[in-house]
Amino acid sequence: MNNTLSLRTVRGMVRRGALLLAVSLVPFALAGCSDVAELKTPVFKTKIAAEETRSSAFKAEFPQQYASYQRNDESTVMTEFNGSVPFNKNDNVNPLPEGYKHAQPYLKNLWLGYPFSYEYRNARGHTKALEDFLHIDRINTYAEKGGLPATCWNCKTPKMMGWVKQYGDDFWAKDVNEFRDKIDMKDETIGCANCHDPQTMELRLYSEPLKDQLKAQGKDWDKLSRNDKRSLVCGQCHVEYYFQDKEKGVAKKPVFPWADGYDPQQMYTYYKTAGNSQMKGFEGNFVDWVHPVSKTPMIKAQHPEYEMWQNGVHGAAGVSCADCHMGYTRTDDKKKISGHWWTSPLKDPDMRACRQCHSDKSPDYLRSRVLFSQQKTFDQLLKAQDLSVKAHEAVRLASEFQGAKPANYDELMIQARDMVRKGQFFWDYVSAENSVGFHNPAKALDTLASSQQYSQQAVDLASEATGFAISKDLAGDIRKIVPPILTHSRKLQQDPEHMKTHQWFKYLPTLPKADKVWDGQKKLVSAAQ
């Protein structure tokens, strides 16, 4: 008998051996990607006071984390679509730092009549939150009162806990400017105490609306997994919310519209019964403001990163916010800590946050995939934005139409305004969310496709209400029919000449002349009340 094995026999043995080896390794491979023992962070017993809100108080006991946290001061690094330079997010004309190539030119048009139309800048790091908040033109600094509720402080400082404890539910409806000079702008901005119990460093909630929401969902914070908490502490602020009407509960208290779900359609349905609107066709709707051009009751989306992420590919797979935005790092003494520079993984040339899982891919490849998704989203974002402006203009033309009208004119106009409201809310859900769609590309593109459909329906309904007489006025490039508003502010709205520079400004009142009362925390003059 020939003892020499044939080549075919050897190959067969190799294949069978390889298969057995692969099968034997499956449990180990799966264990690395799924069920593992719950990781637990160390519990500390610090010397920090239980009610401490200053981040500097944490420095002595946690110097590496504090040094990492201070990197949030950075305000010069840009990614392709975002970054830390506080450019005007509607200005695609001027270069940085005032404008940027990927700005959205119609923001001031779409938010006309609402404080966001005065100023909306790209956000800097969390350490700059209070400084930027106290200088933003959305708060009226030309009067003693800011014209917005104290609710606006909710996502800017851990000092909220003390204020809510002191004033209870009366806090929310107080004027925002009442607390302007009662805080350390640099040391009590978003920081350690927003997420950590100062005495044990365990993750904790400071956000009243998230506490309310978890209670409504029957969830106990203490029983949630560490991984859930590593996202929910971010979800205290990076969410959609609204200021509650007094007829529905505590006046101006922030509420998360999650009762029906996290997606825009579910939120839109929720908002239909969440307010006190008396407008015909919109009775009981929640309304942030009425757009002066189309007379449409509008909803302003905030920054729904948590909602966008939670059913995206990473959220559904259990990847937490902290995994990507607080990646582990090594200190000089080789200790492993979570990075506290809360920023985009794209700012790291090595894409280390992504390569914790995608270790077989190069940084360039991973970056290219992110930018691919963001570019597709941004392209559709601009199209949805343009159609939303066209919808407002169509309803304006139809509401001012003097010709013969069909018997169902009023009903058609209600339907048209509902589609204006819905189309813009769906657009804003993606626009206000800070990942340019990457947290959930499928959801972002689906939401923008829906936005375009609703806005086009608004145009069609408004046209039908005039027997299609206005169709000729809407034909062509909407950016020529209704130019983007590049500059507009509270001060400019005091200038009659500025109010002649755009056709939509005639629907706004010219504000009375006034001098600044506040500059940050400094009171300049006493305003006449």
Side-chain angles (χ1 to χ4, degrees), residues 47 53 56 193 228 407 523:
K47 297 177 182 178
T53 56
S56 63
D228 285 342
K523 195 171 186 180

Side-chain angles (χ1 to χ4, degrees), residues 449-490:
S450 297
S451 168
Q452 293 172 41
Q453 292 168 10
Y454 299 138
S455 294
Q456 185 58 54
Q457 287 177 39
V459 174
D460 295 342
L461 288 162
S463 297
E464 183 180 350
T466 67
F468 301 97
I470 65 172
S471 297
K472 64 182 185 303
D473 300 312
L474 295 168
D477 184 357
I478 188 61
R479 297 199 185 189
K480 293 181 179 178
I481 298 169
V482 181
I485 298 170
L486 180 61
T487 57
H488 185 58
S489 65
R490 289 184 187 272

Side-chain angles (χ1 to χ4, degrees), residues 115-408:
F116 272 77
S117 69
Y118 293 130
E119 187 173 19
Y120 183 59
R121 288 183 176 269
N122 194 47
R124 293 195 290 174
H126 292 67
T127 52
K128 301 292 186 182
L130 278 181
E131 182 180 343
D132 291 346
F133 173 65
L134 291 173
H135 287 90
I136 197 75
D137 200 25
R138 294 202 294 269
I139 301 174
N140 190 1
T141 56
Y142 295 90
E144 294 277 356
K145 293 186 176 182
L148 292 171
T151 320
C152 295
W153 290 96
N154 189 57
C155 286
K156 305 298 186 294
T157 172
K159 196 154 184 176
M160 280 295 306
M161 293 178 286
W163 289 337
V164 170
K165 183 177 180 180
Q166 179 179 357
Y167 297 104
D169 283 336
D170 291 339
F171 168 78
W172 309 104
K174 291 180 178 292
D175 186 78
V176 65
N177 278 355
E178 185 174 333
F179 301 90
R180 182 179 281 270
D181 57 354
K182 295 177 173 61
I183 193 167
D184 188 320
M185 187 166 63
K186 295 189 180 298
D187 208 13
E188 291 182 309
T189 187
I190 301 168
C192 310
N194 286 86
C195 304
H196 291 285
D197 181 316
Q199 295 194 307
T200 66
M201 298 308 291
E202 290 182 347
L203 294 177
R204 61 101 178 262
L205 297 182
Y206 86 97
S207 166
E208 293 300 316
L210 183 52
K211 291 177 186 176
D212 292 344
Q213 189 57 227
L214 291 178
K215 183 178 180 180
Q217 294 177 349
K219 295 179 179 178
D220 183 344
W221 172 259
D222 292 331
K223 295 180 181 178
L224 294 178
S225 71
R226 171 178 175 270
N227 203 50
D228 285 342
K229 292 179 179 180
R230 278 162 56 85
S231 291
L232 279 169
V233 289
C234 304
Q236 297 186 99
C237 295
H238 290 267
V239 289
E240 162 64 351
Y241 60 87
Y242 69 102
F243 298 168
Q244 186 168 241
D245 291 332
K246 63 181 180 180
E247 292 82 358
K248 294 293 182 176
V250 177
K252 301 305 178 183
K253 187 176 184 179
V255 177
F256 297 172
W258 293 355
D260 299 324
Y262 299 99
D263 293 339
Q265 178 58 57
Q266 295 165 321
M267 291 182 181
Y268 192 76
T269 300
Y270 171 91
Y271 279 132
K272 281 185 172 293
T273 58
N276 62 1
S277 172
Q278 301 299 312
M279 183 179 291
K280 185 178 179 181
F282 297 91
E283 292 88 352
N285 280 220
F286 174 77
V287 176
D288 274 310
W289 91 106
V290 176
H291 197 287
V293 174
S294 65
K295 306 299 187 290
T296 300
M298 305 300 296
I299 307 167
K300 173 70 189 80
Q302 302 306 322
H303 24 65
E305 285 86 36
Y306 182 84
E307 296 93 332
M308 185 72 86
W309 156 87
Q310 57 84 31
N311 58 359
V313 64
H314 292 94
V319 178
S320 74
C321 302
D323 288 327
C324 300
H325 297 284
M326 295 179 64
Y328 291 116
T329 185
R330 295 284 181 183
T331 62
D332 291 340
D333 57 0
K334 307 303 180 185
K335 289 182 179 179
K336 182 181 178 182
I337 65 168
S338 291
H340 282 67
W341 180 27
W342 306 309
T343 194
S344 169
L346 293 172
K347 289 185 179 180
D348 177 10
D350 296 323
M351 299 288 285
R352 281 168 289 192
C354 304
R355 294 177 72 205
Q356 292 178 100
C357 296
H358 304 288
S359 58
D360 60 326
K361 299 294 188 288
S362 70
D364 288 344
Y365 173 82
L366 292 169
R367 188 182 306 278
S368 73
R369 297 312 301 165
V370 175
L371 297 182
F372 176 84
S373 293
Q374 290 183 324
Q375 185 67 63
K376 296 297 183 186
T377 300
F378 191 76
D379 290 345
Q380 295 306 312
L381 191 67
L382 294 183
K383 292 177 181 179
Q385 175 188 244
D386 289 3
L387 267 174
S388 194
V389 171
K390 188 176 183 180
H392 281 286
E393 180 67 2
V395 171
R396 180 192 74 81
L397 291 169
S399 65
E400 297 174 2
F401 181 65
Q402 298 299 311
K405 300 171 184 176
N408 63 340

